[in-house]
């Protein structure tokens, strides 16, 4: 069954000009409503690999878009995961930080991993390559995440035009993941077992 993407990208000539203007503008866009959670420990990678719907191989090279589903294939939290040595930076909307913490406390049992720090209101996003930033695949857009820089106001129009995930707008607690952009950019259905795919399969048959 062919899925229909709910978040439709409007690529009129006017919108393309707006998108390209942001893509080729090197000044960071504010992610003031996002936070960074720093997690550390030798078991952290394997824990994330089990919990997330994305295959996180290669996140030491480029951060990946990830999503955590519940048993009904609805979104619990989403964001960008990046690894540097034994430390992992998880960037996500601040409103979802408690969802992640609750999940972490519930499902970390014997693993050697712990939350080190949580920071908010210091993040920015540069679309395209940027030497001073952390390279990420930002939900299908090549970008870099930067910290403690001067930002422009958040470009809501950019997120809307490209149907980038925004909690409680195009990503809602009661919406199935296959009805969102996350289905295309934050899930690897070939990776094997993760929470949510059984419900998803029944929905698409």
């Amino acid at each position: 069954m062919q899925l229909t993407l709910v978040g439709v990208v409007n690529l009129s000539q006017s919108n393309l000009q707006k998108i390209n203007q942001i893509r080729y503008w090197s000044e960071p866009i504010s992610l003031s409503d996002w936070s960074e959670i720093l997690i550390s420990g030798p078991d952290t990678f394997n824990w994330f690999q089990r919990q997330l719907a994305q295959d996180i191989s290669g996140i030491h090279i480029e951060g990946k878009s990830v999503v955590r589903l519940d048993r009904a294939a609805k979104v619990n939290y989403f964001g960008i995961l990046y690894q540097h040595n034994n430390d992992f930076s998880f960037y996500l909307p601040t409103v979802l930080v408690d969802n992640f913490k609750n999940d972490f406390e519930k499902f970390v049992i014997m693993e050697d991993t712990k939350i080190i720090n949580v920071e908010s209101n210091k993040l920015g996003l540069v679309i395209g390559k940027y030497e001073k930033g952390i390279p990420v695949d930002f939900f299908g857009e090549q970008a870099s995440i930067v910290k403690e820089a001067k930002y422009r106001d958040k470009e809501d129009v950019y997120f809307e035009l490209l149907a980038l995930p925004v909690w409680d707008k195009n990503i809602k607690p009661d919406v199935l993941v296959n009805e969102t952009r996350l289905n295309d950019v934050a899930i690897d259905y070939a990776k094997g077992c993760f929470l949510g795919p059984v419900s998803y399969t029944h929905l698409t048959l």
Side-chain angles (χ1 to χ4, degrees):
M1 177 178 177
Q2 183 67 37
L3 297 179
T4 301
L5 183 66
V6 171
V8 178
V9 180
N10 185 346
L11 295 181
S12 67
Q13 186 63 35
S14 174
N15 287 339
L16 279 173
Q17 291 177 351
K18 293 177 183 177
I19 291 169
N20 287 332
Q21 182 180 13
I22 298 170
R23 278 179 173 160
Y24 296 109
W25 189 285
S26 61
E27 187 177 350
I29 298 168
S30 174
L31 291 178
S32 60
D33 52 356
W34 279 55
S35 295
E36 177 188 13
I37 302 178
L38 184 64
I39 307 103
S40 186
D43 295 334
T44 306
F45 180 93
N46 289 334
W47 184 84
F48 270 118
Q49 185 75 303
R50 290 194 301 271
Q51 300 300 313
L52 300 174
Q54 177 71 279
D55 179 0
I56 62 171
S57 302
I59 58 171
H60 63 290
I61 299 172
E62 180 181 66
K64 284 189 175 183
S65 308
V66 299
V67 62
R68 167 69 166 165
L69 305 177
D70 65 15
R71 295 185 183 278
K74 296 177 182 178
V75 177
N76 188 7
Y77 54 82
F78 64 89
I80 304 294
L81 186 63
Y82 180 76
Q83 178 183 3
H84 33 98
N85 298 320
N86 277 337
D87 294 332
F88 295 74
S89 289
F90 187 34
Y91 306 97
L92 74 168
T94 300
V95 69
L96 298 179
V97 167
D98 284 344
N99 286 14
F100 174 78
K101 284 183 174 180
N102 292 337
D103 198 58
F104 193 84
E105 292 172 3
K106 181 178 180 180
F107 290 103
V108 171
I109 301 174
M110 298 294 292
E111 294 89 349
D112 185 0
T113 179
K114 60 182 178 179
I115 295 175
I116 302 298
N117 191 34
V118 180
E119 279 191 335
S120 59
N121 302 322
K122 293 183 178 181
L123 299 174
L125 183 73
V126 177
I127 307 301
K129 291 184 178 181
Y130 186 65
E131 293 180 357
K132 298 180 181 180
I134 294 171
V136 299
D137 179 339
F138 196 82
F139 308 106
E141 290 288 301
Q142 184 185 48
S144 296
I145 291 177
V146 295
K147 296 173 63 175
E148 298 180 355
K150 293 181 179 180
Y151 311 132
R152 292 187 298 167
D153 292 336
K154 183 175 178 180
E155 293 284 354
D156 291 332
V157 64
Y158 182 69
F159 279 66
E160 292 171 5
L161 290 175
L162 288 179
L164 295 177
V166 178
W167 184 251
D168 217 23
K169 288 188 178 181
N170 54 17
I171 307 291
K172 294 179 179 290
D174 58 343
V175 174
L176 299 170
V177 70
N178 62 303
E179 298 175 353
T180 74
R181 180 76 184 278
L182 292 171
N183 189 65
D184 294 332
V185 297
I187 296 180
D188 183 351
Y189 286 102
K191 73 167 279 190
C193 182
F194 60 88
L195 195 63
V198 173
S199 298
Y200 170 85
T201 300
H202 285 302
L203 288 166
T204 55
L205 289 177

